[in-house]
Amino acid sequence: MPNRVYLDWNATTPLRPEARAAMVAAYERIGNPSSVHAEGREARRLVEEARATLAAAVGALPRNVVFTSAGTEANALALSPGLRGGAGEPVQRLLVSAIEHASVLAGGRLPAERISQIRVTRSGIVDLDHLRALLADGPPALVSVMAANNETGTLQPVAEAARIVREAGGLLHVDAIQALGKIAFNINAIGADLATFSAHKIGGPKGVGALIVAEGLAGLEPVLRGGGQELGRRAGTENVAGIAAFGAAVKAALQALPEDAKRMTTLRDRLENGLRAVAGATIFADQVARLPNTVLFTAPGLKAETAVIGFDLEGIAVSSGSACSSGKVQPSHVLSAMGFDGTVAQGAVRLSLGWSTEPADINRALEAWRKLGNTLLRA
């Protein structure tokens, strides 16, 4: 579709040229990475090179990277009922922040009665005092706090959460899917025990994710059983082409990160100023640290579904929040957790930028918003 502007990068990203080249090259090879012949060894080399690239990017050891089919599967693998905490005692419950991705809120493989939610503040930051209270009121826990929220872009205090959780004898899982390639992330510096990632959020292909497990962590139970792939932690022949492309995307994203983050911050701030100038628009969580590329806004009387359709008709791709609801425009559970009522939660629109977003794209989006704000909201 010509002349369209894509501002839904938090949902998925275009395939980076480097990732495309790596994928095409891998598809030209035929080996199974578990085979011992030359073709198999070549496929294994591609997988291990990507594993080393991702590990180096986030401060992990290659042997602790587990490739999966998606970020959702990586989250399910991380939320394992067999994990053991700092004292070797099995974790007996799961604490998740109320703004987590649906795949984390679902609790992985832990039963619903063992799952509790951690409150967040009006700005969308996890309430660490509530986390402390929950940890003190029960047995060792597995805690899941995302690095950056996919709707508001808020950065979470994961390093402080890790310290609190460790002191309580628990484990911390960090969903870093939106963080990778947008901000610096180091699993060791944070002190997380598990971290999850997804290729298609950073310019890799859909259908590839990864879980990183801290050195020495015990009790991780596979979701998929069968062969001994991924050191017995995830059965099934590895997606060689997708994994090779994931590695290439990680390398390209990390190389461009400093300049991309600076440029996107400038464009984001310009976009927000333009949105505020029309129809009394407000930006959520604009007073706290956020991703450089994410804007979640609303205006009095705005309906997200109408706005998303309106932007689309103007040639602008935006969203109402998470893209994991079968295409349905639903009230934001993130805003509800932040204390906003249903009317506000139903009127939030997200615009997210990427490495190829240009000033002209921001101009188009603001032109579309001026048209929408002066018609839909005043009709």
Side-chain angles (χ1 to χ4, degrees):
M1 287 177 279
N3 301 318
R4 286 187 61 83
V5 173
Y6 186 73
L7 295 178
D8 198 16
W9 291 68
N10 283 7
T12 195
T13 61
L15 194 63
R16 289 180 182 269
E18 299 89 344
R20 184 185 300 275
M23 179 176 277
V24 170
Y27 273 130
E28 293 175 350
R29 294 164 171 79
I30 62 174
N32 184 316
S34 294
S35 298
V36 298
H37 48 58
E39 288 83 358
R41 294 196 303 274
E42 175 62 13
R44 173 56 55 190
R45 180 186 66 80
L46 295 177
V47 170
E48 297 310 318
E49 285 183 353
R51 196 187 311 278
T53 296
L54 178 57
V58 299
L61 296 173
R63 64 173 174 262
N64 293 329
V65 177
V66 185
F67 285 116
T68 68
S69 66
T72 289
E73 187 197 335
N75 283 334
L77 178 58
L79 304 182
S80 170
L83 290 170
R84 295 183 175 273
E89 189 175 350
V91 296
Q92 299 181 40
R93 57 200 178 117
L94 174 64
L95 309 179
V96 300
S97 85
I99 58 170
E100 295 298 310
H101 185 270
S103 62
V104 173
L105 290 174
R109 290 163 288 162
L110 282 86
E113 63 270 17
R114 291 168 57 186
I115 303 171
S116 300
Q117 288 193 7
I118 312 163
R119 292 192 298 260
V120 298
T121 68
R122 185 80 168 180
S123 296
I125 305 297
V126 64
D127 186 336
L128 295 179
D129 288 335
H130 190 222
L131 171 60
R132 289 187 184 94
L134 289 172
L135 287 169
D137 188 30
L142 171 61
V143 177
S144 187
V145 177
M146 61 187 1
N149 184 258
N150 51 305
E151 294 189 23
T152 63
T154 52
L155 304 184
Q156 300 300 317
V158 286
E160 189 173 356
R163 179 181 58 79
I164 293 168
V165 171
R166 180 168 286 112
E167 289 175 353
L171 300 172
L172 179 69
H173 162 247
V174 176
D175 178 340
I177 289 172
Q178 290 293 343
L180 184 63
K182 298 172 189 171
I183 59 173
F185 182 88
N186 184 293
I187 188 171
N188 287 324
I190 290 169
D193 298 287
L194 304 120
T196 44
F197 305 92
S198 180
H200 78 101
K201 304 294 188 179
I202 62 164
K206 300 173 184 66
V208 186
L211 168 67
I212 292 184
V213 183
E215 183 73 3
L217 183 67
L220 185 71
E221 298 178 353
V223 175
L224 301 180
R225 301 176 185 273
Q229 294 90 348
E230 299 300 293
L231 296 179
R233 297 170 296 193
R234 199 271 184 185
T237 301
E238 292 92 345
N239 176 1
V240 178
I243 289 170
F246 191 2
V250 168
K251 185 175 181 180
L254 269 290
Q255 288 176 340
L257 175 57
E259 183 59 33
D260 279 351
K262 180 179 179 180
R263 185 179 56 81
M264 285 191 292
T265 299
T266 299
L267 292 176
R268 182 201 67 187
D269 292 348
R270 181 161 159 256
L271 174 61
E272 291 181 349
N273 289 335
L275 292 171
R276 289 189 186 97
V278 178
T282 59
I283 311 298
F284 293 101
D286 59 345
Q287 298 302 307
V288 297
R290 291 175 293 150
L291 292 172
N293 79 316
T294 304
V295 177
L296 185 69
F297 84 99
T298 191
L302 185 65
K303 298 295 184 183
E305 184 171 12
T306 303
V308 169
I309 293 171
F311 273 108
D312 190 46
L313 292 174
E314 294 296 320
I316 318 292
V318 304
S319 75
S320 62
S322 175
C324 299
S325 300
S326 301
K328 298 177 182 178
V329 177
Q330 299 178 340
S332 166
H333 78 278
V334 172
L335 293 180
S336 296
M338 291 164 61
F340 292 95
D341 64 29
T343 301
V344 174
Q346 289 178 334
V349 176
R350 184 187 69 187
L351 295 84
S352 47
L353 321 181
W355 61 82
S356 66
T357 303
E358 298 289 345
D361 299 329
I362 304 303
N363 292 342
R364 284 276 306 279
L366 291 176
E367 179 183 351
W369 173 237
R370 283 190 289 270
K371 180 177 180 180
L372 292 170
N374 288 318
T375 55
L376 296 178
L377 300 180
R378 291 175 171 79

